[in-house]
């Protein structure tokens, strides 16, 4: 599996723990190829919500 597909699976698992806009933004970043930024963003969202 590629880094992109692994990230998208992880993002999908955490979809219900974030807003729709956060989900769409992170998914868009990953699909455009910027998986590192999307991963960093997901970690930041989870940390802010105390769900890490």
């Amino acid at each position: 599996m590629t880094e992109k597909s692994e990230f998208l699976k992880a993002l999908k698992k955490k979809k219900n723990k974030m807003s729709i806009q956060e989900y769409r933004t992170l998914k868009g970043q990953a699909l455009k190829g910027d998986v590192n930024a999307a991963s960093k963003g997901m970690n930041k969202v989870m940390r802010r919500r105390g769900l890490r």
Side-chain angles (χ1 to χ4, degrees), residues 1-16 18 22-40 42-43 46:
M1 285 173 55
T2 64
E3 187 179 5
K4 186 189 305 186
S5 62
E6 288 176 13
F7 173 77
L8 290 173
K9 276 189 176 184
L11 181 64
K12 197 170 186 181
K13 287 180 184 177
K14 297 182 181 186
K15 182 179 181 178
N16 62 345
M18 58 181 73
E22 289 166 339
Y23 175 77
R24 286 180 181 171
T25 300
L26 295 172
K27 183 178 177 184
Q29 283 181 329
L31 292 176
K32 280 290 190 179
D34 199 355
V35 178
N36 290 333
S39 179
K40 185 177 178 181
M42 185 169 70
N43 289 336
M46 293 297 114

